[in-house]
Amino acid sequence: MAVRDFGQKVDVCRRIKEVLKNYEEGSLLKEMVQNADDAGASVFDVLLDLRTHGSSELALPGTAAFQGPALVTHNDAVFADSDLESIQQIGGSQKAGSRSTKTGRFGVGFCSCYHATDLPSFLSRDFLVVLDPHCAHVSDNRSEPGKMLCFLENPKTVASSRDTFEPYRVFGCSLQHSYPGTIFRLPLRTAEQAAASRIS
């Protein structure tokens, strides 16, 4: 499985904290719905996943503390390459040109997810992305604070790191084929995580 650095750029925690001052905690689902609408999705689902998943077989061992309860959303639109670029820019949504009519495709509003979590992730097509603004759980590379895992490149890695992928086996995702939608997973921030967070 190919694993490469991936993530948002700037002093991420400081920028996110500034952005959150302008977004009420209750705005999270509204922003997720807007992003799904901008992608052309016709389906939007929300799941409060109260399960605690295993943590002994992880592709990213630093995520063990984030295997507990999570808010999970699903829509039936896939991430375009331009979306991957846009989500890396905090507040820098690429809405110009053909995307000028979009209401919020991964602009500042996406940061509202940090009201709930320090480690948002999403799965679409053949990749899983984990964003780590603290550079403490999956990446120590401040210029690329996160990871992108291309799970179809090496199916054996999915089996050997099953605890990493198990939380995404929802909404018909089998991890055996390119996924024709997007699943966002927001592990709910614990009291211990909140005390250490530079965002909350």
Side-chain angles (χ1 to χ4, degrees), residues 28-29 46-49 69-73 116 184-188:
L28 169 59
L29 287 178
V46 179
L47 169 67
L48 179 58
D49 185 356
L71 180 66
V72 180
T73 67
F184 280 92
R185 184 173 185 273
L186 311 178
L188 300 177

Side-chain angles (χ1 to χ4, degrees), residues 49 51 53 67 72 119-123 128-130 163-175 179 183-187:
D49 185 356
R51 299 174 294 169
H53 300 277
Q67 290 289 97
V72 180
L119 203 73
S121 60
F122 61 93
L123 183 145
L128 168 64
V129 168
V130 182
D163 292 336
T164 293
F165 296 98
E166 191 60 31
Y168 304 92
R169 292 183 187 274
V170 291
F171 301 112
C173 180
S174 69
L175 298 161
Y179 187 64
I183 297 170
F184 280 92
R185 184 173 185 273
L186 311 178

Side-chain angles (χ1 to χ4, degrees), residues 1 51-61 63-64 67 123 128 149 151 154-170 173-176 185:
M1 172 172 49
R51 299 174 294 169
T52 297
H53 300 277
S55 59
S56 61
E57 297 181 18
L58 295 171
L60 304 168
T63 63
Q67 290 289 97
L123 183 145
L128 168 64
L149 295 80
F151 58 85
N154 187 350
K156 291 181 181 179
T157 303
V158 174
S160 65
S161 303
R162 64 181 179 169
D163 292 336
T164 293
F165 296 98
E166 191 60 31
Y168 304 92
R169 292 183 187 274
V170 291
C173 180
S174 69
L175 298 161
Q176 295 176 0
R185 184 173 185 273

Side-chain angles (χ1 to χ4, degrees), residues 14-163:
R14 180 180 298 157
R15 177 68 178 122
I16 290 170
K17 194 162 189 167
E18 290 170 0
V19 169
L20 288 180
K21 291 177 184 176
N22 297 315
Y23 283 85
E24 298 177 9
E25 289 187 34
S27 66
L28 169 59
L29 287 178
K30 174 186 158 197
E31 295 298 333
M32 300 299 271
V33 168
Q34 282 183 339
N35 285 331
D37 180 60
D38 288 345
S42 61
V43 172
F44 182 82
D45 298 298
V46 179
L47 169 67
L48 179 58
D49 185 356
L50 298 177
R51 299 174 294 169
T52 297
H53 300 277
S55 59
S56 61
E57 297 181 18
L58 295 171
L60 304 168
T63 63
F66 298 89
Q67 290 289 97
L71 180 66
V72 180
T73 67
H74 159 262
N75 69 70
D76 63 348
V78 297
F79 246 66
D81 290 343
S82 60
D83 296 330
L84 290 172
E85 290 299 318
S86 186
I87 203 167
Q88 292 181 82
Q89 307 299 321
I90 298 176
S93 177
Q94 298 182 2
K95 295 181 188 177
S98 64
R99 296 213 175 238
S100 61
T101 61
K102 303 302 184 184
T103 57
R105 191 76 177 140
F106 306 116
V108 176
F110 172 75
C111 289
S112 64
C113 74
Y114 290 105
H115 276 305
T117 190
D118 280 339
L119 203 73
S121 60
F122 61 93
L123 183 145
S124 189
R125 296 171 18 195
D126 63 346
F127 54 80
L128 168 64
V129 168
V130 182
L131 299 172
D132 180 15
H134 287 89
C135 297
H137 309 291
V138 302
S139 177
D140 59 3
N141 181 347
R142 298 227 175 255
S143 67
E144 301 281 357
K147 295 290 183 190
M148 174 184 273
L149 295 80
C150 298
F151 58 85
L152 288 183
E153 287 184 15
N154 187 350
K156 291 181 181 179
T157 303
V158 174
S160 65
S161 303
R162 64 181 179 169
D163 292 336

